[in-house]
Amino acid sequence: MDAQCPMTPRPLQFKSLVEVGHMIRREEATSTGVTQNMLDLIARMDGRLHSYIHLCADRALAQAATADVEIGAGIHKGPLHGVPIAVKDLCYTTYAPTRAGTMIYKDFLPTYNATVVDRLETAGAVILGKLSMTEGAYTGHHPTIPSPVNPWNPEYWVGTSSSGSGVAPTAGLCFASLGSDTGGSIRYPCATCGLTGIKPTWGRVSRHGVFALANSLDHMGPMARSVADCAAVLQVIAGWDAQDPTSLDVPVPDYMAEIGKSVRDMRIGIDRSYALGGVESQVADALERALEVFTHLGASVVEVTLPDYDALVDAWIGMCAIETAVVHKDTYPARADEYGPDLAQLIDEGRAMTGMQAAEGHYLRIAFTASFETLFSYIDCMLCPTMPTPTPSLADMADYGADPAVLGTIMRYTAPYNFTGSPTVTLPNGFDSVGMPLSMQIVGPKLGEAAIIRAAHAYQSATDWHTRQPNMGA
């Protein structure tokens, strides 16, 4: 589909979360009206996009009505108050099933909400529903569940595993979404859909009440059309949680305060061999142009050398597999016939892993993480692509889940930062020759979300790639 010119006035559903939040707070729009408009769009469009797996229409309208009453009474809970968003269907909810892309859990109704869901609702957000995803948050959708469709072009990959979380904001069917990322699952759908997404530091956002793929690699984070929108969501969901023993008990900075700050004193690192070597020319050219933007904005570009990452990327499947096998030990292999082929293959590999292999992978992780963190003595953040190629077609990705070589190639720019737990922001930086979004990634030191938000917003203030939207037709 063609991109709509950024000069064209944006329909309500394509305005930013922050902008809509201001409109509702100033009573230029009502939460009820905005929510109903979005529900109407979902009813009209999602039958072909398949982004939602469960819609909570009545509950969302009730939340919106409450928000309108509160705002009318002078109560304002922040930028998310009254704004319709949606969550990936691995977040526990007491009011809707949490199937995590599986058939085994298709009727699972939790007795408590995920911490991230409670925090969103405490901030006044309207939860439209649960977004579709790949089975168990791995690579492939369960054969019985329709795969979400890329709004830019239905013949192209939409990314995994937060596929519905990528499609819905892109198509104007929510103003932001929550995704999860174990090896790239926030970043791939953002890259293929032209969104912005933040994978926070591991432990920065609670995973209590979130269905796991691999606990030591999983991250929860926001996906939206701009880094300002993502920062607004991250501000709400970040922070220590007594119910998640892996959450970090450290203060949460004011991320919105980074919006609009200059990058003149920032040092942006790049390893040209890593970021540009063996990369398709359109991806490399877009990254070079992004570096020019940062230089024009006054940032310093610093050459760095990334620690050796090849063996670490190769180890990702095995390390993910062994943790996934533990997550599914009560249902696999006992109910193996209810699993799709990709997740079943991963669990089988995990069950076959030896202690020696796991220990070797763990050592690689520790060594790379220690070396990588030393880079931030010289730089504030690092720039690299999100993927080495433009968005692949569905035909190109047919063997994605089954071919470790294909998976390893794609994960060159994502898996290392799940191992290190480093924060990253993914954002669009152009379009390829067939009109699909291109993307880049800004990586920061642990707990360095403020720096990458600052850099990403400066870039988005100087460019308009994030304002483009697919022409969805009638």
Side-chain angles (χ1 to χ4, degrees):
M1 299 180 182
D2 295 330
Q4 189 172 96
C5 173
M7 298 304 292
T8 303
R10 288 179 295 166
L12 175 64
Q13 69 270 25
F14 288 117
K15 293 183 183 296
S16 75
L17 177 152
V18 172
E19 184 179 2
V20 171
H22 283 317
M23 292 171 62
I24 293 172
R25 184 185 65 188
R26 294 192 299 257
E27 299 186 63
E28 297 169 2
T30 65
S31 177
T32 301
V34 173
T35 301
Q36 185 62 64
N37 178 67
M38 200 140 277
L39 289 169
D40 292 344
L41 288 168
I42 292 168
R44 190 167 79 239
M45 298 169 57
D46 206 46
R48 58 189 168 98
L49 294 175
H50 307 299
S51 64
Y52 282 84
I53 195 70
H54 191 97
L55 197 61
C56 304
D58 292 343
R59 189 175 187 277
L61 288 169
Q63 287 182 310
T66 298
D68 287 332
V69 170
E70 291 171 337
I71 291 167
I75 300 169
H76 184 242
K77 298 179 177 179
L80 272 60
H81 199 179
V83 180
I85 64 175
V87 300
K88 185 173 179 177
D89 192 31
L90 46 56
C91 299
Y92 283 21
T93 48
T94 59
Y95 49 84
T98 300
R99 68 194 303 170
T102 70
M103 291 305 293
I104 286 178
Y105 294 103
K106 64 184 177 65
D107 298 318
F108 172 52
L109 190 65
T111 57
Y112 59 92
N113 290 333
T115 296
V116 289
V117 172
D118 279 340
R119 288 180 176 176
L120 289 171
E121 295 195 339
T122 298
V126 173
I127 307 296
L128 292 168
K130 313 288 288 290
L131 295 164
S132 192
M133 56 180 283
T134 56
E135 186 183 16
Y138 190 48
T139 56
H141 295 88
H142 193 280
T144 64
I145 300 174
S147 300
V149 174
N150 195 315
W152 290 96
N153 189 323
E155 299 302 318
Y156 280 75
W157 191 46
V158 76
T160 60
S161 65
S162 307
S163 48
S165 296
V167 171
T170 304
L173 304 184
C174 65
F175 290 100
S177 62
L178 289 191
S180 68
D181 192 308
T182 309
S185 296
I186 287 173
R187 291 164 286 174
Y188 298 142
C190 284
T192 62
C193 292
L195 290 179
T196 302
I198 296 176
K199 180 191 79 65
T201 302
W202 189 80
R204 173 57 93 182
V205 175
S206 171
R207 291 178 295 109
H208 173 69
V210 174
F211 191 97
L213 174 59
N215 277 296
S216 78
L217 300 169
D218 292 349
H219 301 62
M220 290 297 298
M223 302 165 66
R225 280 187 285 277
S226 72
V227 72
D229 289 353
C230 288
V233 176
L234 182 61
Q235 194 73 58
V236 167
I237 62 174
W240 178 72
D241 177 15
Q243 299 179 98
D244 177 1
T246 67
S247 69
L248 300 175
D249 189 5
V250 291
V252 177
D254 182 355
Y255 297 127
M256 296 302 288
E258 299 300 317
I259 303 302
K261 284 187 177 180
S262 170
V263 294
R264 286 192 176 276
D265 61 343
M266 291 196 77
R267 302 161 299 168
I268 297 179
I270 185 165
D271 180 335
R272 291 184 179 275
S273 175
Y274 169 66
L276 301 171
V279 172
E280 201 275 342
S281 61
Q282 295 181 88
V283 175
D285 290 346
L287 197 69
E288 291 277 20
R289 290 192 295 270
L291 283 170
E292 292 173 3
V293 171
F294 280 118
T295 300
H296 178 74
L297 292 171
S300 301
V301 176
V302 179
E303 303 282 341
V304 296
T305 301
L306 200 69
D308 182 58
Y309 57 86
D310 289 322
L312 188 71
V313 173
D314 289 343
W316 184 90
I317 293 179
M319 296 297 284
C320 178
I322 197 166
E323 293 194 32
T324 305
V326 173
V327 170
H328 291 266
K329 62 184 172 58
D330 292 336
T331 54
Y332 193 97
R335 299 169 63 182
D337 59 338
E338 297 176 63
Y339 281 73
D342 292 346
L343 185 57
Q345 179 180 331
L346 182 71
I347 296 171
D348 284 336
E349 181 164 344
R351 291 172 64 86
M353 282 275 287
T354 67
M356 181 76 75
Q357 290 171 310
E360 288 172 346
H362 185 60
Y363 176 75
L364 285 170
R365 179 180 193 169
I366 291 172
F368 180 88
T369 299
S371 297
F372 181 67
E373 279 294 308
T374 64
L375 294 182
F376 295 99
S377 301
Y378 313 101
I379 58 175
D380 298 296
C381 54
M382 186 186 78
L383 196 65
C384 65
T386 311
M387 301 191 298
T389 66
T391 302
S393 69
L394 292 177
D396 290 337
M397 293 301 291
D399 295 327
Y400 170 47
D403 187 345
V406 173
L407 188 58
T409 298
I410 290 175
M411 296 182 73
R412 173 182 177 185
Y413 298 113
T414 55
Y417 314 116
N418 291 92
F419 279 124
T420 63
S422 308
T424 76
V425 59
T426 298
L427 62 163
N429 66 344
F431 284 84
D432 68 12
S433 59
V434 298
M436 295 299 293
L438 294 169
S439 177
M440 67 182 183
Q441 190 176 188
I442 302 174
V443 186
K446 288 182 179 178
L447 298 175
E449 287 84 2
I452 63 175
I453 287 170
R454 178 181 170 193
H457 184 266
Y459 177 82
Q460 291 188 332
S461 296
T463 59
D464 67 5
W465 304 117
H466 66 291
T467 69
R468 308 295 179 94
Q469 64 227 22
N471 184 353
M472 300 300 300

PDB file of all heavy atoms in Angstrom, residues 319 349 352-362:
ATOM      1  N   MET A 319      19.864 -21.460  23.900  1.00  0.00           N
ATOM      2  CA  MET A 319      19.616 -20.876  25.214  1.00  0.00           C
ATOM      3  C   MET A 319      18.142 -20.544  25.399  1.00  0.00           C
ATOM      4  O   MET A 319      17.580 -20.731  26.485  1.00  0.00           O
ATOM      5  CB  MET A 319      20.477 -19.623  25.398  1.00  0.00           C
ATOM      6  CG  MET A 319      21.966 -19.904  25.405  1.00  0.00           C
ATOM      7  SD  MET A 319      22.475 -20.969  26.779  1.00  0.00           S
ATOM      8  CE  MET A 319      22.410 -19.793  28.128  1.00  0.00           C
ATOM      9  N   GLU A 349      14.309 -29.153  20.943  1.00  0.00           N
ATOM     10  CA  GLU A 349      15.732 -28.811  20.993  1.00  0.00           C
ATOM     11  C   GLU A 349      16.141 -28.490  22.423  1.00  0.00           C
ATOM     12  O   GLU A 349      17.226 -28.886  22.872  1.00  0.00           O
ATOM     13  CB  GLU A 349      16.025 -27.616  20.073  1.00  0.00           C
ATOM     14  CG  GLU A 349      17.487 -27.240  20.058  1.00  0.00           C
ATOM     15  CD  GLU A 349      17.881 -26.339  18.895  1.00  0.00           C
ATOM     16  OE1 GLU A 349      17.103 -26.245  17.927  1.00  0.00           O
ATOM     17  OE2 GLU A 349      18.975 -25.754  18.955  1.00  0.00           O
ATOM     18  N   ALA A 352      16.649 -31.514  24.485  1.00  0.00           N
ATOM     19  CA  ALA A 352      17.838 -32.275  24.102  1.00  0.00           C
ATOM     20  C   ALA A 352      19.144 -31.594  24.507  1.00  0.00           C
ATOM     21  O   ALA A 352      20.219 -32.184  24.398  1.00  0.00           O
ATOM     22  CB  ALA A 352      17.835 -32.503  22.590  1.00  0.00           C
ATOM     23  N   MET A 353      19.055 -30.350  24.980  1.00  0.00           N
ATOM     24  CA  MET A 353      20.257 -29.613  25.371  1.00  0.00           C
ATOM     25  C   MET A 353      20.955 -30.281  26.555  1.00  0.00           C
ATOM     26  O   MET A 353      20.301 -30.798  27.471  1.00  0.00           O
ATOM     27  CB  MET A 353      19.880 -28.184  25.777  1.00  0.00           C
ATOM     28  CG  MET A 353      19.627 -27.257  24.602  1.00  0.00           C
ATOM     29  SD  MET A 353      21.139 -26.519  23.953  1.00  0.00           S
ATOM     30  CE  MET A 353      21.527 -25.346  25.236  1.00  0.00           C
ATOM     31  N   THR A 354      22.268 -30.259  26.553  1.00  0.00           N
ATOM     32  CA  THR A 354      23.035 -30.799  27.677  1.00  0.00           C
ATOM     33  C   THR A 354      23.426 -29.671  28.624  1.00  0.00           C
ATOM     34  O   THR A 354      23.427 -28.488  28.245  1.00  0.00           O
ATOM     35  CB  THR A 354      24.310 -31.491  27.183  1.00  0.00           C
ATOM     36  OG1 THR A 354      25.194 -30.496  26.632  1.00  0.00           O
ATOM     37  CG2 THR A 354      23.987 -32.552  26.141  1.00  0.00           C
ATOM     38  N   GLY A 355      23.776 -30.038  29.835  1.00  0.00           N
ATOM     39  CA  GLY A 355      24.262 -29.053  30.788  1.00  0.00           C
ATOM     40  C   GLY A 355      25.522 -28.366  30.297  1.00  0.00           C
ATOM     41  O   GLY A 355      25.725 -27.167  30.529  1.00  0.00           O
ATOM     42  N   MET A 356      26.370 -29.110  29.607  1.00  0.00           N
ATOM     43  CA  MET A 356      27.600 -28.535  29.060  1.00  0.00           C
ATOM     44  C   MET A 356      27.275 -27.436  28.048  1.00  0.00           C
ATOM     45  O   MET A 356      27.870 -26.347  28.076  1.00  0.00           O
ATOM     46  CB  MET A 356      28.426 -29.635  28.386  1.00  0.00           C
ATOM     47  CG  MET A 356      29.740 -29.158  27.813  1.00  0.00           C
ATOM     48  SD  MET A 356      30.989 -28.896  29.088  1.00  0.00           S
ATOM     49  CE  MET A 356      31.423 -30.595  29.464  1.00  0.00           C
ATOM     50  N   GLN A 357      26.335 -27.707  27.155  1.00  0.00           N
ATOM     51  CA  GLN A 357      25.961 -26.704  26.149  1.00  0.00           C
ATOM     52  C   GLN A 357      25.377 -25.457  26.802  1.00  0.00           C
ATOM     53  O   GLN A 357      25.681 -24.329  26.410  1.00  0.00           O
ATOM     54  CB  GLN A 357      24.948 -27.310  25.168  1.00  0.00           C
ATOM     55  CG  GLN A 357      25.530 -28.370  24.248  1.00  0.00           C
ATOM     56  CD  GLN A 357      24.440 -29.075  23.458  1.00  0.00           C
ATOM     57  OE1 GLN A 357      23.437 -29.543  24.009  1.00  0.00           O
ATOM     58  NE2 GLN A 357      24.632 -29.162  22.150  1.00  0.00           N
ATOM     59  N   ALA A 358      24.522 -25.670  27.804  1.00  0.00           N
ATOM     60  CA  ALA A 358      23.924 -24.532  28.491  1.00  0.00           C
ATOM     61  C   ALA A 358      24.982 -23.697  29.195  1.00  0.00           C
ATOM     62  O   ALA A 358      24.952 -22.453  29.173  1.00  0.00           O
ATOM     63  CB  ALA A 358      22.872 -25.013  29.484  1.00  0.00           C
ATOM     64  N   ALA A 359      25.937 -24.349  29.816  1.00  0.00           N
ATOM     65  CA  ALA A 359      26.999 -23.631  30.526  1.00  0.00           C
ATOM     66  C   ALA A 359      27.861 -22.828  29.562  1.00  0.00           C
ATOM     67  O   ALA A 359      28.267 -21.695  29.859  1.00  0.00           O
ATOM     68  CB  ALA A 359      27.860 -24.615  31.317  1.00  0.00           C
ATOM     69  N   GLU A 360      28.161 -23.416  28.392  1.00  0.00           N
ATOM     70  CA  GLU A 360      28.959 -22.702  27.395  1.00  0.00           C
ATOM     71  C   GLU A 360      28.233 -21.444  26.922  1.00  0.00           C
ATOM     72  O   GLU A 360      28.834 -20.381  26.771  1.00  0.00           O
ATOM     73  CB  GLU A 360      29.258 -23.621  26.217  1.00  0.00           C
ATOM     74  CG  GLU A 360      30.281 -24.715  26.554  1.00  0.00           C
ATOM     75  CD  GLU A 360      30.429 -25.732  25.424  1.00  0.00           C
ATOM     76  OE1 GLU A 360      29.565 -25.745  24.517  1.00  0.00           O
ATOM     77  OE2 GLU A 360      31.407 -26.502  25.459  1.00  0.00           O
ATOM     78  N   GLY A 361      26.928 -21.568  26.669  1.00  0.00           N
ATOM     79  CA  GLY A 361      26.142 -20.414  26.256  1.00  0.00           C
ATOM     80  C   GLY A 361      26.098 -19.342  27.333  1.00  0.00           C
ATOM     81  O   GLY A 361      26.187 -18.136  27.053  1.00  0.00           O
ATOM     82  N   HIS A 362      25.969 -19.768  28.571  1.00  0.00           N
ATOM     83  CA  HIS A 362      25.931 -18.831  29.685  1.00  0.00           C
ATOM     84  C   HIS A 362      27.250 -18.077  29.808  1.00  0.00           C
ATOM     85  O   HIS A 362      27.263 -16.854  30.037  1.00  0.00           O
ATOM     86  CB  HIS A 362      25.637 -19.597  30.975  1.00  0.00           C
ATOM     87  CG  HIS A 362      25.458 -18.718  32.172  1.00  0.00           C
ATOM     88  ND1 HIS A 362      24.480 -17.745  32.261  1.00  0.00           N
ATOM     89  CD2 HIS A 362      26.142 -18.677  33.353  1.00  0.00           C
ATOM     90  CE1 HIS A 362      24.567 -17.138  33.423  1.00  0.00           C
ATOM     91  NE2 HIS A 362      25.560 -17.681  34.106  1.00  0.00           N
TER      92      HIS A 362
END
